[in-house]
Short mmCIF file of all heavy atoms in Angstrom, two decimals:
data_model
loop_
_atom_site.label_atom_id
_atom_site.label_comp_id
_atom_site.label_asym_id
_atom_site.label_seq_id
_atom_site.Cartn_x
_atom_site.Cartn_y
_atom_site.Cartn_z
N ILE S 2 -12.21 76.98 -126.32
CA ILE S 2 -12.91 76.50 -127.51
C ILE S 2 -11.91 76.18 -128.62
O ILE S 2 -12.01 75.17 -129.31
CB ILE S 2 -13.95 77.53 -128.01
CG1 ILE S 2 -15.05 77.73 -126.95
CG2 ILE S 2 -14.55 77.08 -129.33
CD1 ILE S 2 -15.84 76.46 -126.66
N ARG S 3 -10.94 77.06 -128.81
CA ARG S 3 -9.92 76.82 -129.83
C ARG S 3 -9.09 75.58 -129.51
O ARG S 3 -8.75 74.80 -130.41
CB ARG S 3 -8.99 78.04 -129.96
CG ARG S 3 -9.68 79.28 -130.54
CD ARG S 3 -8.77 80.49 -130.54
NE ARG S 3 -7.64 80.30 -131.44
CZ ARG S 3 -6.37 80.19 -131.04
NH1 ARG S 3 -6.08 80.24 -129.75
NH2 ARG S 3 -5.40 80.04 -131.92
N LYS S 4 -8.78 75.38 -128.26
CA LYS S 4 -8.01 74.21 -127.85
C LYS S 4 -8.80 72.93 -128.10
O LYS S 4 -8.25 71.94 -128.61
CB LYS S 4 -7.63 74.32 -126.37
CG LYS S 4 -6.61 75.41 -126.07
CD LYS S 4 -6.29 75.45 -124.59
CE LYS S 4 -5.26 76.54 -124.30
NZ LYS S 4 -4.91 76.61 -122.87
N LEU S 5 -10.06 72.95 -127.75
CA LEU S 5 -10.89 71.76 -127.95
C LEU S 5 -11.10 71.47 -129.43
O LEU S 5 -11.10 70.31 -129.86
CB LEU S 5 -12.23 71.93 -127.24
CG LEU S 5 -12.17 72.01 -125.70
CD1 LEU S 5 -13.56 72.19 -125.12
CD2 LEU S 5 -11.50 70.78 -125.11
N ALA S 6 -11.26 72.52 -130.21
CA ALA S 6 -11.39 72.33 -131.66
C ALA S 6 -10.12 71.70 -132.24
O ALA S 6 -10.19 70.82 -133.10
CB ALA S 6 -11.68 73.66 -132.34
N ALA S 7 -8.97 72.14 -131.76
CA ALA S 7 -7.70 71.58 -132.21
C ALA S 7 -7.58 70.11 -131.82
O ALA S 7 -7.12 69.27 -132.61
CB ALA S 7 -6.54 72.38 -131.63
N GLU S 8 -8.01 69.78 -130.60
CA GLU S 8 -7.96 68.38 -130.16
C GLU S 8 -8.92 67.51 -130.96
O GLU S 8 -8.61 66.36 -131.29
CB GLU S 8 -8.28 68.29 -128.67
CG GLU S 8 -7.14 68.71 -127.76
CD GLU S 8 -5.93 67.80 -127.90
OE1 GLU S 8 -6.05 66.58 -127.66
OE2 GLU S 8 -4.86 68.33 -128.24
N PHE S 9 -10.08 68.06 -131.27
CA PHE S 9 -11.05 67.32 -132.09
C PHE S 9 -10.45 67.00 -133.45
O PHE S 9 -10.48 65.85 -133.92
CB PHE S 9 -12.33 68.14 -132.24
CG PHE S 9 -13.38 67.47 -133.08
CD1 PHE S 9 -14.36 66.69 -132.49
CD2 PHE S 9 -13.40 67.62 -134.47
CE1 PHE S 9 -15.34 66.06 -133.27
CE2 PHE S 9 -14.35 67.00 -135.24
CZ PHE S 9 -15.33 66.22 -134.64
N LEU S 10 -9.90 68.01 -134.11
CA LEU S 10 -9.34 67.81 -135.45
C LEU S 10 -8.12 66.89 -135.41
O LEU S 10 -7.94 66.05 -136.31
CB LEU S 10 -8.96 69.16 -136.06
CG LEU S 10 -10.13 70.07 -136.43
CD1 LEU S 10 -9.63 71.45 -136.81
CD2 LEU S 10 -10.94 69.45 -137.57
N GLY S 11 -7.29 67.05 -134.40
CA GLY S 11 -6.11 66.20 -134.29
C GLY S 11 -6.46 64.74 -134.08
O GLY S 11 -5.87 63.85 -134.71
N THR S 12 -7.44 64.48 -133.21
CA THR S 12 -7.85 63.10 -132.96
C THR S 12 -8.59 62.53 -134.17
O THR S 12 -8.43 61.35 -134.51
CB THR S 12 -8.73 63.01 -131.71
OG1 THR S 12 -8.13 63.74 -130.65
CG2 THR S 12 -8.90 61.56 -131.29
N PHE S 13 -9.39 63.37 -134.82
CA PHE S 13 -10.05 62.94 -136.06
C PHE S 13 -9.01 62.47 -137.07
O PHE S 13 -9.13 61.40 -137.68
CB PHE S 13 -10.86 64.10 -136.65
CG PHE S 13 -11.46 63.79 -137.99
CD1 PHE S 13 -12.75 63.31 -138.09
CD2 PHE S 13 -10.74 63.98 -139.16
CE1 PHE S 13 -13.32 63.01 -139.34
CE2 PHE S 13 -11.28 63.68 -140.41
CZ PHE S 13 -12.57 63.19 -140.49
N TRP S 14 -7.97 63.25 -137.28
CA TRP S 14 -6.94 62.92 -138.27
C TRP S 14 -6.18 61.66 -137.88
O TRP S 14 -5.86 60.83 -138.73
CB TRP S 14 -6.00 64.10 -138.42
CG TRP S 14 -4.98 63.99 -139.51
CD1 TRP S 14 -3.63 64.14 -139.39
CD2 TRP S 14 -5.22 63.73 -140.90
NE1 TRP S 14 -3.01 64.00 -140.59
CE2 TRP S 14 -3.97 63.74 -141.55
CE3 TRP S 14 -6.36 63.51 -141.65
CZ2 TRP S 14 -3.83 63.52 -142.92
CZ3 TRP S 14 -6.23 63.29 -143.02
CH2 TRP S 14 -4.98 63.29 -143.63
N LEU S 15 -5.91 61.50 -136.59
CA LEU S 15 -5.21 60.30 -136.13
C LEU S 15 -6.02 59.05 -136.46
O LEU S 15 -5.49 58.07 -136.99
CB LEU S 15 -4.94 60.40 -134.63
CG LEU S 15 -4.10 59.30 -133.98
CD1 LEU S 15 -3.40 59.84 -132.74
CD2 LEU S 15 -4.93 58.07 -133.60
N VAL S 16 -7.30 59.06 -136.12
CA VAL S 16 -8.14 57.88 -136.34
C VAL S 16 -8.43 57.69 -137.82
O VAL S 16 -8.35 56.56 -138.34
CB VAL S 16 -9.45 58.00 -135.53
CG1 VAL S 16 -10.40 56.86 -135.87
CG2 VAL S 16 -9.14 58.00 -134.04
N PHE S 17 -8.74 58.77 -138.50
CA PHE S 17 -9.06 58.65 -139.93
C PHE S 17 -7.83 58.21 -140.73
O PHE S 17 -7.91 57.31 -141.58
CB PHE S 17 -9.59 59.97 -140.47
CG PHE S 17 -10.05 59.88 -141.90
CD1 PHE S 17 -11.28 59.34 -142.22
CD2 PHE S 17 -9.24 60.34 -142.93
CE1 PHE S 17 -11.70 59.25 -143.54
CE2 PHE S 17 -9.65 60.25 -144.26
CZ PHE S 17 -10.88 59.71 -144.56
N GLY S 18 -6.69 58.82 -140.47
CA GLY S 18 -5.48 58.47 -141.19
C GLY S 18 -4.91 57.13 -140.79
O GLY S 18 -4.55 56.32 -141.65
N GLY S 19 -4.83 56.87 -139.49
CA GLY S 19 -4.25 55.62 -139.01
C GLY S 19 -5.14 54.42 -139.28
O GLY S 19 -4.73 53.46 -139.95
N CYS S 20 -6.37 54.49 -138.80
CA CYS S 20 -7.30 53.37 -139.01
C CYS S 20 -7.69 53.27 -140.48
O CYS S 20 -7.91 52.17 -141.01
CB CYS S 20 -8.54 53.53 -138.13
SG CYS S 20 -8.19 53.40 -136.37
N GLY S 21 -7.76 54.42 -141.15
CA GLY S 21 -8.07 54.40 -142.58
C GLY S 21 -7.02 53.66 -143.38
O GLY S 21 -7.33 52.93 -144.33
N SER S 22 -5.76 53.81 -143.00
CA SER S 22 -4.69 53.08 -143.70
C SER S 22 -4.86 51.58 -143.52
O SER S 22 -4.59 50.80 -144.44
CB SER S 22 -3.32 53.54 -143.19
OG SER S 22 -3.07 53.07 -141.88
N ALA S 23 -5.32 51.18 -142.33
CA ALA S 23 -5.52 49.75 -142.06
C ALA S 23 -6.74 49.20 -142.80
O ALA S 23 -6.70 48.11 -143.38
CB ALA S 23 -5.68 49.52 -140.56
N VAL S 24 -7.82 49.96 -142.81
CA VAL S 24 -9.07 49.50 -143.42
C VAL S 24 -9.03 49.56 -144.94
O VAL S 24 -9.48 48.63 -145.63
CB VAL S 24 -10.26 50.33 -142.88
CG1 VAL S 24 -11.54 50.00 -143.64
CG2 VAL S 24 -10.44 50.09 -141.38
N LEU S 25 -8.48 50.63 -145.49
CA LEU S 25 -8.57 50.86 -146.93
C LEU S 25 -7.32 50.42 -147.71
O LEU S 25 -7.44 50.02 -148.87
CB LEU S 25 -8.81 52.35 -147.21
CG LEU S 25 -10.05 52.97 -146.57
CD1 LEU S 25 -10.09 54.47 -146.87
CD2 LEU S 25 -11.32 52.30 -147.03
N ALA S 26 -6.15 50.51 -147.08
CA ALA S 26 -4.92 50.36 -147.86
C ALA S 26 -4.02 49.20 -147.46
O ALA S 26 -3.17 48.80 -148.26
CB ALA S 26 -4.11 51.66 -147.78
#
Side-chain angles (χ1 to χ4, degrees):
I2 296 298
R3 292 175 65 247
K4 291 180 179 180
L5 295 180
E8 283 296 301
F9 179 93
L10 290 171
T12 312
F13 174 94
W14 187 233
L15 186 153
V16 174
F17 185 79
C20 294
S22 71
V24 172
L25 303 176

